[in-house]
Amino acid sequence: ATILIPSVTHPIDWALNFGIIAIYGMIILLVVTFFVKLHYELWLWTHKLLGFVFFIGIMHSFLIPSDIATDPLLRAYMLIISLVGLLAFVYTSLMGTFVIKKYPYLVEKVAMLYEDVVELTLKPIRHIMPYRAEQFVFVRFFQSVIPTQLHPFSVSSIVSKDEKQQLTITVKKLGDFTNEIIHLKKDTEVEVEGAFGKFSYRHARYQKQIWIAGGIGITPFLSMANDLTDDGYIVNLYYSVKTRNELIGIDNLNEVAKKDDVSFKVFPYVADEQDGYLSADFIADHVGDISKTDIFICGPPGMMAALRQQFRKKGIPNNLIHSEEFSID
């Protein structure tokens, strides 16, 4: 396909050119998204460009001779769908600076929990951001050693009604950005956006549940375990790490398991002490009947994908397998 350039003999064909720009733009941006590892800030901009490509595609759909042009009902339906999509894009991407509430915090404490895991404690300047146990936040640090970019982190602190409660996030050093977290100084200004996400045992179909954490993927489960109620939930948490020293928060999880008013058990799975990686077969053999069970997984992408596939082969429907999937560097 060739984009038509206007001339005396060939006036510009906007309908055709919009279609060509939209299809090539979508292909390029999807290839970049799935196959090219970009710096986080650049990755965000490529996703914002998807909104522009979507708009160009809409213009193509309404300008070309088609059923949309001749069928009033279809035209109205497509118009509504297009407007909803554009409004969602404008709200989340373009107006996010103005409509998403931001909470000012200060760095209270930076603690090394393990050789590559840092616990960051933040104190609110005015009021704490409201959040639920399973949610994550976007954080921006205003210190010269760290780029002022928004990055997502799971909240690992326990939910409280105390307006001066500190906010805790646990970070694994994976790349340039997270490697600098340890160098944050006390009272560094922090901007927190959120909270977001519905990775919660409360949103499951069944009260019988299996939670699976891989490494730093334990962070959402730390707050979820402390939020667990005695409303009939039966939870088995499998915590997979390479070495026993990597069991972050295991003492707190064991304390929750000792409570009389909750049915919660935690099973550390140390790969160096086992024969292979944690698998659906191991869990099924350990738990027994896994039918009518919701499964929550958070960990490295490869681990989550492998376990999802294994549970699907055991007959667990995809909608009963929940995963928290974001990664940064």
Side-chain angles (χ1 to χ4, degrees), residues 112-131:
M112 182 69 75
L113 300 184
Y114 186 62
E115 60 185 20
D116 61 351
V117 178
V118 178
E119 183 178 77
L120 191 62
T121 304
L122 309 176
K123 64 178 180 181
I125 294 178
R126 289 186 290 274
H127 299 291
I128 190 171
M129 172 200 66
Y131 66 94

Side-chain angles (χ1 to χ4, degrees), residues 75-248:
R75 187 178 184 85
Y77 172 76
M78 291 299 297
L79 182 61
I80 292 172
I81 294 296
S82 300
L83 287 175
V84 170
L86 287 174
L87 287 173
F89 169 74
V90 171
Y91 178 81
T92 57
S93 297
L94 302 182
M95 294 181 64
T97 304
F98 308 103
V99 300
I100 298 177
K101 192 170 184 180
K102 301 172 178 61
Y103 297 83
Y105 278 75
L106 294 176
V107 173
E108 174 68 14
K109 182 181 178 182
V110 181
M112 182 69 75
L113 300 184
Y114 186 62
E115 60 185 20
D116 61 351
V117 178
V118 178
E119 183 178 77
L120 191 62
T121 304
L122 309 176
K123 64 178 180 181
I125 294 178
R126 289 186 290 274
H127 299 291
I128 190 171
M129 172 200 66
Y131 66 94
R132 297 187 302 272
E134 76 281 357
Q135 294 188 300
F136 67 92
V137 296
F138 283 91
V139 180
R140 189 196 307 273
F141 302 100
F142 296 99
Q143 183 174 313
S144 59
V145 297
I146 296 182
T148 55
Q149 305 163 353
L150 282 172
H151 280 263
F153 297 99
S154 291
V155 176
S156 53
S157 50
I158 302 171
V159 178
S160 170
K161 294 182 179 180
D162 182 0
E163 289 190 351
K164 294 185 178 180
Q165 180 198 7
Q166 295 173 329
L167 185 69
T168 303
I169 57 177
T170 308
V171 183
K172 184 171 184 177
K173 297 192 291 182
L174 298 172
D176 294 339
F177 181 88
T178 47
N179 283 339
E180 297 299 332
I181 295 290
I182 191 63
H183 301 301
L184 284 169
K185 300 185 185 310
K186 181 179 172 63
D187 292 332
T188 294
E189 293 185 15
V190 181
E191 184 179 82
V192 181
E193 292 185 9
F196 306 101
K198 293 184 178 181
F199 184 73
S200 172
Y201 70 94
R202 297 179 184 272
H203 297 148
R205 178 184 299 180
Y206 299 109
Q207 292 182 303
K208 181 183 175 185
Q209 299 177 8
I210 294 171
W211 298 357
I212 306 171
I216 197 62
I218 192 62
T219 50
F221 296 118
L222 291 176
S223 55
M224 284 171 62
N226 284 280
D227 185 59
L228 198 61
T229 65
D230 59 350
D231 297 331
Y233 290 97
I234 302 173
V235 177
N236 289 321
L237 168 61
Y238 291 86
Y239 186 1
S240 176
V241 293
K242 188 175 188 301
T243 65
R244 191 165 290 275
N245 290 335
E246 297 176 63
L247 291 170
I248 304 301

